Amino acid sequence: MKKIAFSGTLDPITNGHMWVIGEALAIADEVIVFLSENPLKKPRFPADMRKKIIERSVAERGWQHVQVVIVNGDYTARAAKKHGIDYLIRGIRNNADFDYENLIQQTNVDVLSGAKTIFVMPPRDLGSVSSSFVKALEGPVGWHWHMKKFVPKPAYEAWISGWLRDEWNALWPDAPASGGAHAAPSAWFDVLTGDSCYGAGTRRYHNIEHLVHGLTELQVWAADSGASPEALAALKKAFWFHDAVYEHEPARASNEEASAGMWLDSGLGMRSGDAQCVADLIRATDHFQESSITHPLKQVMLGADLAILGQDDEVYDAYAQGIRMEYGHVPTEVYRAHRCTALAHLHAKAQVGMLYCDAYFAGQYNDRAMANMGREIAALGGQL
């Protein structure tokens, strides 16, 4: 069989879709992915972006002989025949899928005189994975960690980037295209998510995912506490910048002070009138220094920054591994000693109810954080 086609909106492409493409490659010399443009749907990504995501996902797996074609204003089955393809391939996950796909198959052949359909059944772990399922994950704390399990890396990265851009733009609804004496907010988004800040390849924890987690924590905290939009906006701006500068051995100022300086130098605070407020919240994330910051939102900022300590085992273990990789240049024994000291400091604060001083974060994470840190200290050979 020379060619098989696979079609869909693919917004986003999932691991289930990728499995079907892999099955098609196993029985055909070439696979054409028809990317359907449906005027009744409002996809997250435009067709050209979805095309790039699919191409990157295919390339990441080393697959060859896969072509992506955007279909506008035509039925996929009829477009397939025009490309010299006699068979489409579709995944069948359950009885409902079969009934629907059988109807489409009959329509394709009897009404459109188009390509016939080959049906394949995905493995159990992909049986419930669909684009709509993945989209429905967005929102609660940890949604990005769950999404990551069900889509290829290029799709995950594109989705996260789009989500972050929406978050950032919402903080600057009236921002002009030009920043005057300072760079416009859109330019600062590129800086913060770029390879000099959260997008740096050397950042294995203080990275884009940390940014997503913290911003989501703050959103959920605000919904739980009834916080004002102004308070939430100040916290989010501070979280965007709080680890913008992250050097293992700061030459002069602390990372927090340097990040606060970047925020003040950006001019964004002058635009919104909250320069010093946000700078103080950034400085407050220096957990190991006695701070004179008395901002009323300080404990919320600290709670969001330390929320990672109270996550489930799988997430916490990935965090701990990421921290070790960020300090990969530090000899093992030295790292163990310093890491145990830091964890013991935070554990002691948790024991007396001072790790999370905001009620929401304390209720959510304090006990779990103590268990996680105790477990890591023991694994490092330390003692509480």
Side-chain angles (χ1 to χ4, degrees):
M1 192 176 294
K2 293 184 178 181
K3 291 183 182 180
I4 291 181
F6 175 63
S7 68
T9 307
L10 306 181
D11 182 56
I13 189 168
T14 70
N15 290 339
H17 297 139
M18 294 296 290
W19 179 85
V20 175
I21 294 171
E23 290 295 291
L25 281 171
I27 57 177
D29 298 323
E30 183 179 354
V31 175
I32 296 183
V33 178
F34 286 122
L35 192 55
S36 304
E37 277 288 79
N38 187 335
L40 299 180
K41 293 184 178 181
K42 296 181 179 179
R44 178 65 178 265
F45 301 112
D48 58 343
M49 182 62 179
R50 279 178 280 146
K51 182 175 184 290
K52 291 178 182 177
I53 291 170
I54 297 167
E55 289 171 342
R56 291 169 186 164
S57 299
V58 167
E60 185 180 63
R61 299 200 180 189
W63 291 348
Q64 299 179 355
H65 310 298
V66 178
Q67 180 184 0
V68 184
V69 176
I70 298 173
V71 177
N72 283 303
D74 200 358
Y75 295 102
T76 301
R78 196 159 60 190
K81 293 289 283 188
K82 293 176 181 177
H83 281 78
I85 301 170
D86 292 320
Y87 288 93
L88 303 171
I89 189 168
R90 300 289 293 175
I92 298 291
R93 296 166 298 182
N94 48 46
N95 290 339
D97 269 2
F98 176 79
D99 291 339
Y100 173 77
E101 293 292 351
N102 187 44
L103 176 61
I104 296 299
Q105 146 75 3
Q106 293 175 13
T107 302
N108 288 342
V109 176
D110 299 339
V111 178
L112 303 176
S113 299
K116 297 178 181 180
T117 305
I118 297 172
F119 298 119
V120 291
M121 296 188 69
R124 187 187 301 271
D125 62 326
L126 296 175
S128 62
V129 179
S130 66
S131 295
S132 57
F133 166 80
V134 170
K135 290 177 183 178
L137 294 173
E138 184 179 293
V141 170
W143 67 268
H144 59 298
W145 294 319
H146 296 298
M147 175 181 280
K148 192 175 187 178
K149 300 175 184 177
F150 299 111
V151 297
K153 183 178 178 182
Y156 173 72
E157 291 177 342
W159 196 276
I160 291 300
S161 179
W163 185 89
L164 283 172
R165 187 175 289 278
D166 289 344
E167 280 283 313
W168 178 257
N169 289 342
L171 294 174
W172 317 100
D174 303 317
S178 173
H182 300 278
S186 59
W188 274 103
F189 174 84
D190 294 336
V191 171
L192 292 169
T193 58
D195 58 13
S196 64
C197 291
Y198 296 101
T202 54
R203 294 196 181 200
R204 305 308 295 268
Y205 169 66
H206 295 89
N207 54 19
I208 294 292
E209 290 187 332
H210 174 52
L211 197 54
V212 174
H213 177 206
L215 293 171
T216 307
E217 290 279 4
L218 291 171
Q219 187 70 45
V220 175
W221 164 83
D224 181 81
S225 65
S228 69
E230 293 77 17
L232 178 59
L235 286 162
K236 284 187 173 182
K237 291 171 188 176
F239 207 90
W240 271 97
F241 275 86
H242 82 292
D243 280 328
V245 177
Y246 189 77
E247 301 291 341
H248 295 133
E249 297 177 3
R252 297 178 183 176
S254 68
N255 286 324
E256 292 77 15
E257 188 62 41
S259 295
M262 179 183 286
W263 156 256
L264 292 171
D265 290 343
S266 74
L268 294 172
M270 296 174 60
R271 183 193 303 277
S272 54
D274 54 4
Q276 288 303 322
C277 165
V278 172
D280 283 346
L281 288 172
I282 296 169
R283 294 185 181 107
T285 58
D286 187 349
H287 303 286
F288 302 104
Q289 300 292 329
E290 290 298 326
S291 174
S292 60
I293 302 299
T294 58
H295 195 289
L297 294 174
K298 170 184 175 180
Q299 298 304 334
V300 179
M301 185 70 182
L302 289 171
D305 195 27
L306 292 175
I308 189 64
L309 299 177
Q311 303 303 311
D312 292 342
D313 287 7
E314 181 183 4
V315 174
Y316 183 87
D317 291 346
Y319 148 74
Q321 183 181 30
I323 293 293
R324 179 63 184 110
M325 293 175 74
E326 283 189 344
Y327 286 88
H329 62 287
V330 177
T332 299
E333 292 306 316
V334 175
Y335 175 80
R336 285 178 176 174
H338 284 270
R339 179 67 175 166
C340 284
T341 298
L343 289 171
H345 169 75
L346 295 174
H347 191 278
K349 293 182 71 172
Q351 283 184 307
V352 296
M354 295 298 291
L355 182 64
Y356 302 107
C357 294
D358 176 81
Y360 168 78
F361 290 103
Q364 292 285 326
Y365 300 129
N366 195 74
D367 290 347
R368 189 68 199 159
M370 289 178 62
N372 282 332
M373 289 187 288
R375 184 164 54 85
E376 186 182 356
I377 289 171
L380 292 170
Q383 294 182 341
L384 287 172

